[in-house]
């Protein structure tokens, strides 16, 4: 099932790239494996997926300890400073840095492992109170410059979550705003490559607006059963 779903997703990603006159190689799929068992991750890996996203620190820790596959783990959820210790070793990319305090802890833990941790700054482009992330260009710039003095951190780009809606204008506005932030920061001399935005219901618009990482769960694994532990 997952292999068939992956083929469908790949076709949709290709169509989205064509609409935006982009090369499909510019977009990577992060398979959001949260709550899914290792058997599902193995099935997805055998189908060709290598990037997997988890949003719970302990779940990532436990899956990494049990997994014998050569996968790239992405931490995509809100990260508390006291949970950094669980994700710092497995995560190739942390998508959700939103404060100096969190950056300091990641830098410290990465230093203990002689690791330079790649990360994205989480941006709230929707203005929703329930969402985490910075909201202004000044705040993003201030955090980027702060991280520039931390030797075990490497900023790679920006991340956002759009509202759960079918409104194309709202979705595109959230995604284009993140792209504009990135462009402005690059013009100020910051080397940012990644835009992590778009999920199962809206990745078409995200890709058209410049996403390089799309976080797709349901379209690959099916509806989650939160009552079942992975």
């Amino acid at each position: 099932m997952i292999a068939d779903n992956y083929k469908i997703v790949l076709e949709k990603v290709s169509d989205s790239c064509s609409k935006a006159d982009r090369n499909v190689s510019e977009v990577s799929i992060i398979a959001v494996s949260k709550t899914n068992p290792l058997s599902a991750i193995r099935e997805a890996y055998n189908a060709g997926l290598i990037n997997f996203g988890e949003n719970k620190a302990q779940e990532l820790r436990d899956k990494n300890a049990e997994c014998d596959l050569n996968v790239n783990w992405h931490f995509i959820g809100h990260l508390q400073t006291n949970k950094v210790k669980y994700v710092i070793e497995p995560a190739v990319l942390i998508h959700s840095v939103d404060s100096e305090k969190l950056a300091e802890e990641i830098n410290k833990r990465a230093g203990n492992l002689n690791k330079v941790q790649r990360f994205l700054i989480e941006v709230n482009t929707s203005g929703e109170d329930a969402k985490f992330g910075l909201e202004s260009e000044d705040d993003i710039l201030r955090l980027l410059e702060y991280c520039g003095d931390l030797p075990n951190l490497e900023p790679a780009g920006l991340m956002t979550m759009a509202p759960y809606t079918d409104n194309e204008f709202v979705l595109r506005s959230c995604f284009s705003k993140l792209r504009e932030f990135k462009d402005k920061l690059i013009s100020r001399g910051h080397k940012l490559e990644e835009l992590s935005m778009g999920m199962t219901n809206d990745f078409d618009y995200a890709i058209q607006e410049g996403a390089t990482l799309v976080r797709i769960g349901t379209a690959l694994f099916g509806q989650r059963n939160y009552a079942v532990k992975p």
Side-chain angles (χ1 to χ4, degrees):
M1 181 192 76
I2 293 175
D4 292 336
N5 291 344
Y6 183 38
K7 289 178 182 177
I8 294 170
V9 169
L10 284 176
E11 291 173 359
K12 291 181 177 179
V13 168
S14 179
D15 288 343
S16 301
C17 287
S18 295
K19 292 175 188 175
D21 196 25
R22 298 182 62 194
N23 193 307
V24 71
S25 64
E26 298 173 22
V27 180
S28 295
I29 296 170
I30 312 299
V32 179
S33 49
K34 63 180 184 178
T35 77
N36 284 287
L38 283 174
S39 58
I41 293 174
R42 184 177 299 277
E43 185 179 346
Y45 179 82
N46 290 336
L49 285 152
I50 60 171
N51 295 297
F52 292 87
E54 294 287 333
N55 74 335
K56 299 293 184 183
Q58 289 98 322
E59 186 175 343
L60 173 54
R61 175 201 60 191
D62 294 346
K63 283 181 176 176
N64 180 63
E66 297 174 20
C67 184
D68 60 352
L69 305 172
N70 186 25
V71 303
N72 296 324
W73 293 112
H74 294 245
F75 188 78
I76 60 175
H78 178 64
L79 184 57
Q80 297 173 298
T81 54
N82 65 336
K83 302 293 180 62
V84 171
K85 58 189 175 184
Y86 300 133
V87 307
I88 196 67
E89 183 175 356
V92 298
L93 185 65
I94 295 174
H95 289 229
S96 48
V97 175
D98 61 359
S99 71
E100 293 179 359
K101 181 180 178 182
L102 178 58
E104 282 182 359
E105 182 65 15
I106 294 172
N107 179 71
K108 182 183 77 173
R109 295 282 180 176
N112 292 340
L113 298 175
N114 293 317
K115 175 183 182 182
V116 176
Q117 179 65 61
R118 297 180 77 240
F119 72 96
L120 307 178
I121 290 179
E122 183 170 4
V123 183
N124 182 346
T125 58
S126 69
E128 294 175 286
D129 292 338
K131 283 190 168 60
F132 296 99
L134 306 179
E135 296 188 14
S136 74
E137 181 184 350
D138 287 343
D139 286 341
I140 300 168
L141 182 62
R142 190 176 300 112
L143 182 55
L144 268 178
E145 292 177 343
Y146 183 83
C147 292
D149 293 326
L150 300 176
N152 293 94
L153 291 185
E154 179 186 338
L158 307 174
M159 184 272 267
T160 198
M161 293 181 65
Y164 193 80
T165 177
D166 293 327
N167 188 310
E168 179 178 350
F169 176 79
V170 171
L171 294 170
R172 283 186 179 272
S173 295
C174 288
F175 298 143
S176 63
K177 187 174 182 179
L178 195 72
R179 186 192 68 246
E180 289 165 4
F181 276 139
K182 177 190 170 188
D183 291 343
K184 289 178 181 178
L185 293 165
I186 289 175
S187 72
R188 288 173 172 261
H190 293 279
K191 296 180 180 179
L192 303 176
E193 300 175 355
E194 308 290 0
L195 286 179
S196 173
M197 57 189 192
M199 299 186 291
T200 289
N201 65 305
D202 56 21
F203 71 84
D204 175 35
Y205 300 134
I207 289 172
Q208 292 183 59
E209 295 296 339
T212 64
L213 303 170
V214 290
R215 310 180 302 270
I216 301 176
T218 303
L220 292 169
F221 296 103
Q223 293 293 333
R224 295 183 183 88
N225 183 354
Y226 287 95
V228 177
K229 293 184 178 180

